[in-house]
Amino acid sequence: MSRLPNSRGNLGKAIALACFGCTLIGCEPASSGPPEVSKLTTLAVAYGLYQSRHGEPPPDEATFKAFLTEHSQQLLEKSGVEQLDALFVSSRDGQPFVIKYGDQDDPMGRKPIAFEQVGQGGRRYVGFTLGMISEVDEEAFQALMAGEPQGDTP
């Protein structure tokens, strides 16, 4: 019986690439929600695109920012920020987003890869590899960080 090599990974890569393309060409307006959602969506989809092109997540912030610079004009436009560094900061808590760099074994995109450090009102936005964003309370956030997927996450 023949099997496609790494078919699960290829599906994830194709979805990430499609989502990234949608982000770039404007399938959904950037102003359709809080700025954190737009920023995290852009970061999460770009993270997935990096992973699909390189076979692994970005190893560090400098490498990820260099990758984003290749697409900065369109990315910044769609995310509603004027400078690349602003893309990495939540306007709700004023803190840089936490981004999980390096090796992550998560072919289905269920682990958080970017999130607000503090958030607002006991809730924070969390981004996943395939571009999904969820706003979760502290209990759900801790469960996600422990690897326990929630019902409304990808």
Side-chain angles (χ1 to χ4, degrees):
M1 170 153 73
S2 70
R3 191 173 95 112
L4 290 173
N6 197 14
S7 60
R8 228 174 36 177
N10 290 338
L11 175 61
K13 290 175 186 178
I15 292 170
L17 189 56
C19 290
F20 187 70
C22 249
T23 300
L24 288 179
I25 62 172
C27 294
E28 194 165 319
S31 62
S32 65
E36 289 68 35
V37 172
S38 179
K39 289 178 178 183
L40 279 171
T41 299
T42 301
L43 289 170
V45 171
Y47 187 102
L49 181 63
Y50 181 98
Q51 192 167 353
S52 73
R53 288 189 179 171
H54 299 280
E56 60 187 13
D60 53 46
E61 185 173 307
T63 304
F64 190 41
K65 282 186 174 181
F67 178 77
L68 285 166
T69 299
E70 296 175 26
H71 308 285
S72 65
Q73 182 67 24
Q74 294 160 322
L75 287 172
L76 293 175
E77 241 174 61
K78 289 297 167 193
S79 62
V81 299
E82 294 179 14
Q83 297 178 331
L84 182 61
D85 287 340
L87 185 63
F88 286 76
V89 178
S90 168
S91 52
R92 292 196 326 166
D93 62 19
Q95 301 291 316
F97 292 115
V98 174
I99 300 177
K100 306 295 247 174
Y101 296 108
D103 186 33
Q104 288 211 45
D105 182 27
D106 187 26
M108 299 306 289
R110 295 188 67 87
K111 289 183 183 176
I113 55 96
F115 50 87
E116 290 179 296
Q117 288 187 42
V118 178
Q120 187 175 56
R123 300 181 66 81
R124 61 177 105 189
Y125 284 106
V126 178
F128 300 85
T129 309
L130 299 180
M132 297 295 296
I133 308 299
S134 292
E135 185 180 33
V136 297
D137 62 21
E138 188 61 26
E139 182 180 346
F141 177 74
Q142 293 303 325
L144 284 169
M145 296 310 290
E148 303 167 15
Q150 304 297 296
D152 62 344
T153 59

